[in-house]
Amino acid sequence: MLINPEEKALIGRVFETYLTEHHRNDIHQLITNTNEDTHRSVVVNAMTLFEANMEVGDYFNAYPKDVLVVFDEVLQKKALELADDASLKDKQGSIQRSKRQIYHTRITGLPVCPELTRHTIPRSRDVGHFLSVTGTVIRTSVAKVLEYERDYMCTKCHHVFKVQADFDQFYTFVQPVGCPNPVGCNSIKFTCLSGGSEPAACRDYQELKIQEQVQRLSVGSIPRSLVVVLEDDLVDSCKSGDDVTVYGVMCLRWKPFHDGSPCDVELVLRANNIEANNQQAAAALLVRDVQKEFEEFWDSCKHNSLAGRNEILLSLCPQVFGMYVIKLAVAMVLAGGVQRIDSSGTKVRGECHMLLVGDPGTGKSQFLKYSAKVISRSVLTAGIGSTSAGLTVAAVKDGGDWHLEAGALVLSDGGLCCIDEFSSIKEHDRISIHEAMEQQSISVAKAGMVCKLNTRTTILAATNPKGQYDPKEPLSVNVALASPLLSRFDLVLVLLDTRNAQWDCIISSFILEDRGIPSEASGLWSMEKMKAYFSVIKQLQPRVSEEANCILTRYYQLQRQRDGHNAARTTIRMLESLSRLAEGENRFQSWTI
């Protein structure tokens, strides 16, 4: 340990006082909790702790590993003291249960400064520092159980001592170099007491790979990745596709040395705490003042709900002039419907899928980019170069083990997947997303791994027609997409670049002189407000009334009976799509249900 006993005692006293003042109730709740979790955590705000004593903050920045060990020891001691008090009431039950628990100090809320908070992958100069790193989880390994401690006995003096597994060498046990007996035994021969039997001390272990967020990178940069090691109760705390902030110590890791083999050293982040940002964002938006603001907005428009709807549509993708029908369609798809489970237990998806077919320059990509920004969990990709593994899931071999690496549809589970140039995806790769669109899952049978992954995502796709769009030809011929795939889209809109002198003049003025910007430009909703609105309305659970069901059923029947109807679109899926779109429009337009 790099800190001396006096410094250790100072840190222990300060932290114990801090726990007593700020986390006494938290510890007491953990003690009285009746679940069987062995590892329990107390989340400590670093800013509050450092304000109590700046000297402890200096020690923490200089020697984070040693200080975290002191924090855990003090927390364990404090928990036992509180358990002693509780045991007077329940006849020793609490203290016996508490002695079996292991308590961990989880750090959060680091000061926002370049030295401690990173949005890019740290370098080798950051080794040994405690950092918070923000990124997107692109791979999660299976949870494993590792032995982290063994008992050794000196063959000369029979002194028994414990040896910790070396994290820097992939949890291998290094043979002790000398007997640690304080009497002064100089023996170098030892016997492992747990050799040949089951491991005595094990912990849960998992590795993640996080990638830099693309929107935070500079121009021309390729996102880099970093391995994150999770231990104990942090295992399985996030999944692929989550935007996370990881708090931990940067470490170097290498394989044990062998003669003639090169030393391969890698940077890893040993996590102390991990927070899923997309879950935080969704919870933070659902606060009373935000809900109250939207309720007041719809109360002011209750006599003319269409005016309120149009005001929101003005703020949706404002860089595109007009096209309010397209904007309304995008808003309905982003709002989505409600998932239903019938009497037999079959799930009917609530997410809507939309396909924009149009000539070049009609604003399709602008709608996709804006939608990816307004939905907190989203993936934007292009069809050119996308394979079935890139869209669904890939099996990757790393360190002798096979791992599943999530593709675009799995990463956007619970959010939005935008696919530009949809028709550019190869035919055999396009077939792989059929199951993902309708059943909302992907069946995987790769490298000996057989499983199902959820793809509960809304797909917003855009494509160009095959040559000049011919209204006389069926849609499947114009876009060169098979009927089974087209029938899975709830909404297909065709955008044609018609020659209209008056419209061309208005668009030219809007682009070149900004004359076309609405006079209510100052009242446009900001991107953050639009994000909050879509997050809030997704919590609503509208139901289609009997009268609305009759209208939808009659419309579906008329479409089926119409001469020249498109067989690729007028399937039974069309009726389900009408119900989902009605619920999406109700979510988007009506705040009070």
Side-chain angles (χ1 to χ4, degrees), residues 335-347:
V338 180
Q339 186 187 61
R340 298 190 304 278
I341 302 177
D342 60 17
S343 56
S344 63
T346 304
K347 292 182 179 179

Side-chain angles (χ1 to χ4, degrees), residues 167-198:
F167 174 84
D168 297 337
Q169 299 189 48
F170 288 84
Y171 278 99
T172 56
F173 286 91
V174 180
Q175 187 75 7
V177 295
C179 180
N181 193 337
V183 177
C185 174
N186 296 321
S187 174
I188 58 173
K189 293 183 179 181
F190 309 96
T191 302
C192 180
L193 299 181
S194 59
S197 62
E198 64 180 23

Side-chain angles (χ1 to χ4, degrees), residues 65-293:
K65 290 183 180 179
D66 298 336
V67 175
L68 286 173
V69 171
V70 177
F71 285 174
D72 288 346
E73 292 175 354
V74 173
L75 177 60
Q76 191 78 23
K77 176 185 173 185
K78 190 67 178 177
L80 290 176
E81 290 178 359
L82 293 178
D84 279 328
D85 298 338
S87 65
L88 299 176
K89 300 180 180 180
D90 63 357
K91 309 284 186 172
Q92 298 290 326
S94 289
I95 186 169
Q96 294 299 327
R97 185 170 62 246
S98 179
K99 283 183 177 179
R100 297 195 300 267
Q101 313 300 335
I102 301 175
Y103 294 86
H104 303 277
T105 304
R106 304 299 182 196
I107 304 297
T108 187
L110 285 180
V112 181
C113 60
E115 292 78 12
L116 299 176
T117 308
R118 305 291 176 85
H119 296 289
T120 58
I121 298 302
R123 302 281 189 173
S124 58
R125 61 176 177 269
D126 298 311
V127 172
H129 294 170
F130 191 93
L131 305 172
S132 73
V133 182
T134 302
T136 303
V137 180
I138 60 172
R139 185 194 303 175
T140 58
S141 71
V142 295
K144 300 179 181 179
V145 177
L146 287 183
E147 185 182 12
Y148 70 93
E149 190 177 73
R150 286 180 181 174
D151 290 329
Y152 280 83
M153 183 179 69
C154 176
T155 57
K156 181 179 178 181
C157 66
H158 301 289
H159 175 66
V160 178
F161 57 95
K162 296 182 182 296
V163 174
Q164 300 285 335
D166 191 359
F167 174 84
D168 297 337
Q169 299 189 48
F170 288 84
Y171 278 99
T172 56
F173 286 91
V174 180
Q175 187 75 7
V177 295
C179 180
N181 193 337
V183 177
C185 174
N186 296 321
S187 174
I188 58 173
K189 293 183 179 181
F190 309 96
T191 302
C192 180
L193 299 181
S194 59
S197 62
E198 64 180 23
C202 296
R203 65 168 31 134
D204 294 329
Y205 173 88
Q206 187 182 28
E207 289 189 5
L208 309 176
K209 181 172 280 189
I210 63 171
Q211 181 178 276
E212 295 171 333
Q213 294 175 316
V214 179
Q215 61 268 29
R216 296 182 181 272
L217 296 178
S218 58
V219 177
S221 299
I222 297 176
R224 295 173 295 141
S225 58
L226 175 69
V227 175
V228 177
V229 175
L230 304 182
E231 297 171 339
D232 301 325
D233 57 319
L234 297 181
V235 170
D236 285 336
S237 56
C238 62
K239 59 183 183 298
S240 296
D242 284 345
D243 289 330
V244 297
T245 299
V246 186
Y247 300 85
V249 181
M250 287 301 303
C251 302
L252 291 175
R253 191 170 64 168
W254 59 87
K255 294 287 180 67
F257 298 118
H258 299 287
D259 291 339
S261 62
C263 179
D264 188 12
V265 183
E266 66 175 350
L267 275 174
V268 296
L269 183 64
R270 190 175 187 179
N272 171 264
N273 191 18
I274 186 168
E275 297 174 348
N277 297 332
N278 42 5
Q279 296 174 0
Q280 279 187 346
L285 292 172
L286 298 179
V287 292
R288 290 185 179 274
D289 55 344
V290 177
Q291 291 190 7
K292 186 177 180 181
E293 181 181 356

Side-chain angles (χ1 to χ4, degrees), residues 311-316 318 517-518 520-526 529:
E311 183 177 340
I312 302 176
L313 291 180
L314 278 174
S315 305
L316 195 147
I517 295 180
E520 303 90 352
S522 59
L524 292 180
W525 287 17
S526 65
K529 190 173 180 179

Side-chain angles (χ1 to χ4, degrees), residues 304-342:
N304 189 359
S305 60
L306 293 180
R309 183 197 71 181
N310 294 338
E311 183 177 340
I312 302 176
L313 291 180
L314 278 174
S315 305
L316 195 147
C317 200
Q319 64 268 31
V320 176
F321 179 75
M323 304 178 70
Y324 292 110
V325 174
I326 311 299
K327 292 183 179 182
L328 176 60
V330 172
M332 291 163 56
V333 170
L334 296 183
V338 180
Q339 186 187 61
R340 298 190 304 278
I341 302 177
D342 60 17

Side-chain angles (χ1 to χ4, degrees), residues 379 390-392 407-413 417 419 432-433 436-437 442 454-457 459:
V379 175
L391 289 173
T392 55
L409 293 173
V410 180
L411 288 174
S412 57
D413 179 34
C417 183
I419 307 175
S432 63
I433 68 175
M437 292 183 69
I442 292 175
N454 289 324
T455 57
R456 297 159 296 189
T457 177
I459 295 180

